[in-house]
Amino acid sequence: MITYVRGVAVSAFAGALLVGCADTPGAGNGITGSGRGTTASSSGTAAAAAPKPGKPLTDKVNKAPTVAPGPGGLTPVFERASSTDRRTVALTFDADMTADQGPRAAHGEHFDNPALIDALRRLRVPSTVFMTGRWAEEYPAQAKEIGNDPLFEIANHSYSHYAFASPCYGLPLVGSDGMRGDVDRAFSAFKRAGARNVVPYFRFPGGCYNDAALRAIAPSKVTAVQWDVVSGDAFATDADAVAEQVLTRVGPGSLVVMHCTRSAAPVTEQAVRRIVPELRRRGYRFVKVSELMRG
């Protein structure tokens, strides 16, 4: 299907379930207290068995700036830096893998993208990788390597990559009673992989959320991180078109969503190799989300 975000066409199809480029929250100062997803049902497909909620696992991750809770204690949402007087930009990469895609990985489908990570290292680009717990389980050595490189930080993209609001591009739905457990289970997967640079940020699968979802994950004490620039790299085959989409939309304080999933975003590395030098030529400095959030 074709998903439109602020007039930008983003290719997607439900079979691959890589839908990080989804609903973008409303414009403003980049911080909102409620979402713009559709109404979620408390029923539906739940994530795989998760640990019972207890003390938030984010207490054990790196101390990093967060946003104060929204009205009624809702999880806060951050989409870009509120200050626009500095030319900083955060490139973020969703490492997507759903809980039920193990057989596809076993048959040779690549949900990782080590060449992209290598390119970011060569270019010295600090980046935030929004990783699913299932991805960390499939690629524990890579999760550990990324999570122990000071150039990167790992943020939470759920364990299952199932939807937290419905409809959401054909993704199975996590019931409201399973949402917090899905978030916490991903943090547990990062810990088992040995990743250290883990920050208390969460990106909703597909970008789909609503107040019910923000309320459900509030005990995990995360800040939900969206974006203001869609790269369009999901399922793209033209790296120049992806690069141009980013270069024409980025501004001071922007937060760009891209992907670290080789099979479903095959030209991201090539696009990054064009985006980075051009933005540096324009005077931009690349930062991780944790620095962007500091303002």
Side-chain angles (χ1 to χ4, degrees):
M1 63 183 175
I2 304 298
T3 305
Y4 289 92
V5 184
R6 290 182 177 172
V8 180
V10 181
S11 299
F13 59 89
L17 298 182
L18 182 131
V19 286
C21 302
D23 297 345
T24 302
N29 65 1
I31 302 171
T32 61
S34 62
R36 290 186 57 193
T38 52
T39 303
S41 168
S42 59
S43 61
T45 305
K52 292 181 180 180
K55 188 175 182 181
L57 293 179
T58 46
D59 288 352
K60 301 177 182 179
V61 301
N62 284 354
K63 296 296 183 182
T66 54
V67 178
L74 295 181
T75 297
V77 181
F78 177 84
E79 73 170 73
R80 63 169 297 153
S82 57
S83 174
T84 58
D85 58 352
R86 294 196 303 171
R87 291 200 171 191
T88 55
V89 60
L91 298 186
T92 69
F93 299 89
D94 290 359
D96 291 348
M97 186 174 181
T98 63
D100 57 358
Q101 288 179 327
R104 288 167 55 175
H107 283 87
E109 184 168 349
H110 296 284
F111 296 92
D112 62 338
N113 195 341
L116 169 63
I117 298 300
D118 288 344
L120 293 169
R121 287 191 175 108
R122 288 195 304 272
L123 293 165
R124 302 301 300 167
V125 179
S127 307
T128 303
V129 178
F130 283 85
M131 188 179 293
T132 68
R134 183 64 187 87
W135 194 102
E137 288 179 347
E138 187 70 27
Y139 306 106
Q142 291 186 56
K144 181 178 181 179
E145 184 181 12
I146 294 169
N148 288 280
D149 186 332
L151 192 66
F152 303 113
E153 62 189 11
I154 291 177
N156 194 314
H157 196 30
S158 80
Y159 174 82
S160 64
H161 202 263
Y162 289 173
F164 281 54
S166 180
C168 190
Y169 312 108
L171 289 171
L173 181 65
V174 180
S176 59
D177 58 348
M179 291 179 183
R180 179 188 173 185
D182 198 72
V183 174
D184 290 351
R185 190 179 182 192
F187 281 125
S188 293
F190 305 154
K191 181 180 179 181
R192 286 195 302 273
R196 296 179 182 175
N197 301 331
V198 179
V199 289
Y201 306 148
F202 176 72
R203 175 166 286 163
F204 287 99
C208 305
Y209 70 96
N210 55 19
D211 281 3
L214 294 174
R215 188 174 298 109
I217 68 171
S220 292
K221 297 183 179 179
V222 293
T223 293
V225 176
Q226 296 288 91
W227 54 82
D228 68 303
V229 177
V230 174
S231 69
D233 67 335
F235 314 110
T237 57
D238 186 340
D240 288 337
V242 172
E244 191 61 28
Q245 184 150 303
V246 173
L247 293 171
T248 57
R249 287 168 170 78
V250 76
S254 278
L255 204 159
V256 183
V257 59
M258 305 186 82
H259 293 86
C260 184
T261 310
R262 201 182 339 172
S263 62
V267 301
T268 305
E269 178 210 348
Q270 299 171 52
V272 163
R273 286 194 274 108
R274 180 182 165 195
I275 291 166
V276 170
E278 175 57 23
L279 286 181
R280 281 179 171 151
R281 188 189 68 80
R282 297 180 188 181
Y284 280 90
R285 182 172 65 90
F286 294 96
V287 298
K288 292 177 273 193
V289 171
S290 57
E291 183 173 348
L292 190 73
M293 202 174 290
R294 289 187 177 97

